[in-house]
């Protein structure tokens, strides 16, 4: 039948309508087996219909869903960009040791002022000095007095030989200060001076270990004392040149009355004869040298002119007389000191020990193990032990 044509109604045609009507009512009241479906089957068409009916909404929802993570990701990236910092390796700073800076606190007596920077250009390690205070060490439970000095030596560092100012720390184990005086002597100076330490702004002061530096010094019963100098480099400009040089010629002084008798008195005098154009410098031994022959040899070597011979001989004789007088006075002073010395003081001098500490070898400092020597200075003589 063509679409759009009108169909005639007959009785035959109407009968089915009546039969169809109750069927539709039965279908409404009693759903057939085919009409009974699972909830999932019911939901699927519904969902499909919804999707089909709301396709634009689905696309819009999809865009929103897609945009939401993108916004969050962008926000997260922006947030990270603000807080992100370049990764830096954490530096490890070892704890400071209790006596780590002891060697730096000790004044290097006799070192030229303009060479002090050379002493501290390396981070020298004196862990051997620190270990000496541990139980079983040489300085454990001892009262100790420290002074410093420097020794210029040619040592190798990183494959190159270099003259280096090596710091040395001398420890004196004693119940009392070994001396309150400083000796001033050098090749350039004609005479030797023995001065009170305080005249050269030096003194023994207590050393405060790191762990006690927050405490008052007066409350501490210190067993460690160091030779300190209050003269500052900045104030040297206001001093005369001779005064400045005195600091460079200083030597820690020590007088050992118990050993003086056993030592042979020196018979050598230093001669510095001031003449132009060049002064005569030499050593004269009044027991081994004959003055006439000694003078003629200087003339032969053109160190002295003939017309200066007699003046030179008189000068040497005067120096010999001064030296002999000094020896006699020293012997008398020693004898008197021994008579007045108590038993405790004598025992202290007998048990007094000198230890000489050199820096230990490290990758960052020159190796000084090959240049260690027991000699301290002309007053202290040799150390009992080198470390």
């Amino acid at each position: 039948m063509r679409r759009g044509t009108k169909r005639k109604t007959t009785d035959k045609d109407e009968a089915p309508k009546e039969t169809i009507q109750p069927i539709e009512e039965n279908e409404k009241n009693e759903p057939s087996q085919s009409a009974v479906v699972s909830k999932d089957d019911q939901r699927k068409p519904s969902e499909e219909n919804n999707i089909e009916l709301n396709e634009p909404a689905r696309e819009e929802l999809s865009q929103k869903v897609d945009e939401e993570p993108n916004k969050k990701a962008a926000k997260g990236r922006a947030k990270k960009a603000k807080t992100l910092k370049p990764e830096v390796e954490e530096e490890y700073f070892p704890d400071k040791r209790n006596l780590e800076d002891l060697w730096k606190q000790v004044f290097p007596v006799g070192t030229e002022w303009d060479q002090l920077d050379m002493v501290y250009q390396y981070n020298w390690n004196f862990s051997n000095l620190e270990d000496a205070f541990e139980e079983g060490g040489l300085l454990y439970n001892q009262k100790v007095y420290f002074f410093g000095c420097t020794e210029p030596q040619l040592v190798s560092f990183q494959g190159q030989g270099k003259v280096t100012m090596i710091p040395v720390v001398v420890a004196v184990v004693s119940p009392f200060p070994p001396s309150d005086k400083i000796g001033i002597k050098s090749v350039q100076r004609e005479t030797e001076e023995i001065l009170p330490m305080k005249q050269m702004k030096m003194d023994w002061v207590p050393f405060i270990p790191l762990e006690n530096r927050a405490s008052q010094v007066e409350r501490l019963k210190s067993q460690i004392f160091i030779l300190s100098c209050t003269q500052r480099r900045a104030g040297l400009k206001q001093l005369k040149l001779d005064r400045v040089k005195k600091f460079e010629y200083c030597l820690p002084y020590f007088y050992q009355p118990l050993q003086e008798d056993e030592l042979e008195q020196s018979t050598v005098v230093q001669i510095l004869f001031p003449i132009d154009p060049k002064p005569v410098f030499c050593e004269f031994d009044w027991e081994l040298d004959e003055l006439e022959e000694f003078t003629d040899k200087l003339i032969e070597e053109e160190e002295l002119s003939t017309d200066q011979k007699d003046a030179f001989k008189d000068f040497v004789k005067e120096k010999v007389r001064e030296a002999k007088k000094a020896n006699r006075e020293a012997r008398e002073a020693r004898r008197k000191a021994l008579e007045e010395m108590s038993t405790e003081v004598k025992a202290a001098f007998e048990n007094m020990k000198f230890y000489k500490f050199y820096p230990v070898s490290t990758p960052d400092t020159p190796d000084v193990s090959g240049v260690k020597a027991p000699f301290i200075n002309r007053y202290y003589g040799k150390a009992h032990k080198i470390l």
Side-chain angles (χ1 to χ4, degrees), residues 253-384:
Y253 180 78
F254 178 68
Y255 177 70
Q256 173 55 282
L258 302 183
Q259 296 181 2
E260 204 70 30
D261 287 331
E262 302 174 4
L263 299 176
E264 184 179 5
Q265 291 286 340
S266 176
T267 59
V268 177
V269 291
Q270 304 289 331
I271 304 297
L272 182 59
F273 186 54
I275 59 172
D276 293 326
K278 184 179 72 172
V280 177
F281 174 75
C282 57
E283 290 183 349
F284 180 78
D285 189 325
W286 68 72
E287 287 190 353
L288 300 178
D289 295 326
E290 202 280 320
L291 184 56
E292 186 71 24
E293 294 180 1
F294 186 85
T295 307
D296 291 341
K297 187 175 181 181
L298 289 175
I299 295 173
E300 183 181 339
E301 294 173 351
E302 297 183 352
E303 295 288 334
L304 188 69
S305 61
T306 305
D307 59 340
Q308 295 171 328
K309 180 178 180 179
D310 292 338
F312 177 78
K313 290 169 65 177
D314 293 340
F315 184 84
V316 173
K317 289 176 182 178
E318 180 61 26
K319 292 298 177 183
V320 170
R321 281 194 293 269
E322 291 177 359
K324 288 181 177 180
K325 180 182 178 182
N327 286 349
R328 287 195 300 270
E329 291 176 351
R331 285 194 293 269
E332 180 62 24
R334 184 178 62 256
R335 184 189 62 78
K336 186 177 180 180
L338 287 171
E339 290 177 353
E340 298 175 353
M341 190 177 295
S342 66
T343 306
E344 292 78 10
V345 174
K346 286 182 180 179
F349 274 111
E350 289 173 352
N351 297 321
M352 200 173 287
K353 300 292 181 184
F354 309 146
Y355 300 114
K356 194 176 180 184
F357 290 86
Y358 284 86
V360 300
S361 298
T362 67
D364 301 327
T365 56
D367 183 7
V368 303
S369 57
V371 295
K372 294 181 180 181
F375 185 74
I376 299 174
N377 64 30
R378 64 193 303 260
Y379 303 116
Y380 278 85
K382 294 181 179 181
H384 293 92

Side-chain angles (χ1 to χ4, degrees), residues 107-374:
F107 182 66
V109 185
T111 305
E112 296 182 15
W113 292 104
D114 58 358
Q115 293 183 348
L116 285 175
D117 292 335
M118 295 177 62
V119 178
Y120 303 110
Q121 66 176 321
Y122 300 107
N123 187 25
W124 299 101
N125 187 317
F126 278 85
S127 57
N128 53 345
L129 177 56
E130 300 169 44
D131 295 340
F133 283 95
E134 299 295 331
E135 187 172 357
L138 289 171
L139 307 180
Y140 180 69
N141 273 345
Q142 299 283 357
K143 196 169 187 177
V144 189
Y145 293 82
F146 288 101
F147 64 84
C149 58
T150 53
E151 296 180 358
Q153 296 285 354
L154 178 63
V155 293
S156 177
F157 181 58
Q158 296 180 346
Q160 296 182 348
K162 183 181 179 181
V163 176
T164 304
M165 298 295 291
I166 303 172
V168 178
V169 178
V170 177
V172 181
V173 178
S174 171
F176 50 76
S179 176
D180 61 352
K181 294 181 172 57
I182 283 287
I184 301 177
K185 177 65 177 175
S186 72
V187 174
Q188 291 82 0
R189 296 177 65 89
E190 294 183 26
T191 59
E192 176 186 25
E193 291 183 81
I194 307 297
L195 302 176
M197 281 184 178
K198 293 185 178 181
Q199 191 170 328
M200 300 304 296
K201 293 190 174 183
M202 299 184 196
D203 202 359
W204 299 106
V205 299
F207 172 78
I208 310 303
L210 189 64
E211 64 182 8
N212 297 328
R213 292 195 179 163
S215 305
Q216 294 183 4
V217 177
E218 294 79 7
R219 297 183 179 180
L220 297 174
K221 295 181 179 180
S222 181
Q223 289 287 96
I224 305 174
F225 294 84
I226 58 174
L227 185 58
S228 178
C229 179
T230 58
Q231 177 63 52
R232 297 292 173 256
R233 295 173 69 177
L236 295 175
K237 297 178 181 179
Q238 302 175 2
L239 303 180
K240 293 182 179 180
L241 181 60
D242 183 63
R243 172 69 174 174
V244 174
K245 289 296 181 182
K246 270 189 175 183
F247 283 98
E248 299 174 358
Y249 299 148
C250 283
L251 292 173
Y253 180 78
F254 178 68
Y255 177 70
Q256 173 55 282
L258 302 183
Q259 296 181 2
E260 204 70 30
D261 287 331
E262 302 174 4
L263 299 176
E264 184 179 5
Q265 291 286 340
S266 176
T267 59
V268 177
V269 291
Q270 304 289 331
I271 304 297
L272 182 59
F273 186 54
I275 59 172
D276 293 326
K278 184 179 72 172
V280 177
F281 174 75
C282 57
E283 290 183 349
F284 180 78
D285 189 325
W286 68 72
E287 287 190 353
L288 300 178
D289 295 326
E290 202 280 320
L291 184 56
E292 186 71 24
E293 294 180 1
F294 186 85
T295 307
D296 291 341
K297 187 175 181 181
L298 289 175
I299 295 173
E300 183 181 339
E301 294 173 351
E302 297 183 352
E303 295 288 334
L304 188 69
S305 61
T306 305
D307 59 340
Q308 295 171 328
K309 180 178 180 179
D310 292 338
F312 177 78
K313 290 169 65 177
D314 293 340
F315 184 84
V316 173
K317 289 176 182 178
E318 180 61 26
K319 292 298 177 183
V320 170
R321 281 194 293 269
E322 291 177 359
K324 288 181 177 180
K325 180 182 178 182
N327 286 349
R328 287 195 300 270
E329 291 176 351
R331 285 194 293 269
E332 180 62 24
R334 184 178 62 256
R335 184 189 62 78
K336 186 177 180 180
L338 287 171
E339 290 177 353
E340 298 175 353
M341 190 177 295
S342 66
T343 306
E344 292 78 10
V345 174
K346 286 182 180 179
F349 274 111
E350 289 173 352
N351 297 321
M352 200 173 287
K353 300 292 181 184
F354 309 146
Y355 300 114
K356 194 176 180 184
F357 290 86
Y358 284 86
V360 300
S361 298
T362 67
D364 301 327
T365 56
D367 183 7
V368 303
S369 57
V371 295
K372 294 181 180 181

Side-chain angles (χ1 to χ4, degrees), residues 71-88:
K71 288 181 180 179
K72 290 182 178 179
K75 188 177 180 181
R77 284 195 297 271
K79 192 172 183 181
K80 286 183 179 179
K82 291 180 181 178
T83 58
L84 190 62
K85 295 181 180 179
E87 293 185 2
V88 180

